[in-house]
Amino acid sequence: MTAAPVKKRLKNMKNMWTCYQMDEIIGQGERLAIKILSEIYPKAILAKQVPLRELLSAEHREDMGERAKKETIDIVIFDEYDTIAVRVQDDRHKTKNFGIIDQRQKYDLENNGVIVIDIWKSDAPYLFKEKNIEKSTEEIKKIFSDYLE
């Protein structure tokens, strides 16, 4: 990818981030996760509650069901090279219904070149308590190292 398209992509993502950053639908652990990820990725653009459709190609958007059109991704990291969807998953996402939805969402995102990282409550208990930033940071770094080595 040449420098011009990368700069244009980042500019577009920055504009999108401005649009979505004020959405206050935020779940347990997400606020602290955004703070920690902004320190891990200081040059990246972080967006919260990004509509799934914004991360998919036109072809994939055409095939979306009504429910999928309402879905959002908890945190999205846009850096110079990658787009990373971070899903902060509590125990509800272990149920059959959520599991099916999450698998379809992951499939769609990965087929559009997005890296998907799930932060499970069981893997990051301190993050979900939103109290101990040092231990929460360790949890996130471990989870990310598993995906991005």
Side-chain angles (χ1 to χ4, degrees), residues 45-48 50 55 73-78 83-86:
I45 297 166
L46 273 68
K48 61 185 178 183
V50 176
L55 300 169
I73 304 301
D74 298 327
I75 304 165
V76 180
I77 302 168
F78 300 101
T83 300
I84 304 168
V86 181

Side-chain angles (χ1 to χ4, degrees), residues 130-147:
E130 296 186 332
K131 290 185 179 176
N132 189 323
I133 192 163
E134 291 83 16
K135 289 190 179 193
S136 298
T137 301
E138 289 173 19
E139 292 171 339
I140 288 179
K141 284 183 176 179
K142 175 162 181 358
I143 291 165
F144 270 61
S145 71
D146 291 345
Y147 286 89

Side-chain angles (χ1 to χ4, degrees), residues 80-93:
E80 191 172 353
Y81 304 103
D82 294 313
T83 300
I84 304 168
V86 181
R87 304 185 303 179
V88 183
Q89 309 283 56
D90 61 18
D91 292 335
R92 291 177 309 149
H93 290 270

Side-chain angles (χ1 to χ4, degrees), residues 1-11 13 41-46 77-84 113 115:
M1 188 177 286
T2 64
V6 168
K7 285 182 181 177
K8 181 178 182 197
R9 179 173 161 259
L10 286 175
K11 182 177 184 277
M13 294 305 154
Y41 292 91
K43 294 183 179 179
I45 297 166
L46 273 68
I77 302 168
F78 300 101
D79 73 10
E80 191 172 353
Y81 304 103
D82 294 313
T83 300
I84 304 168
I115 297 167

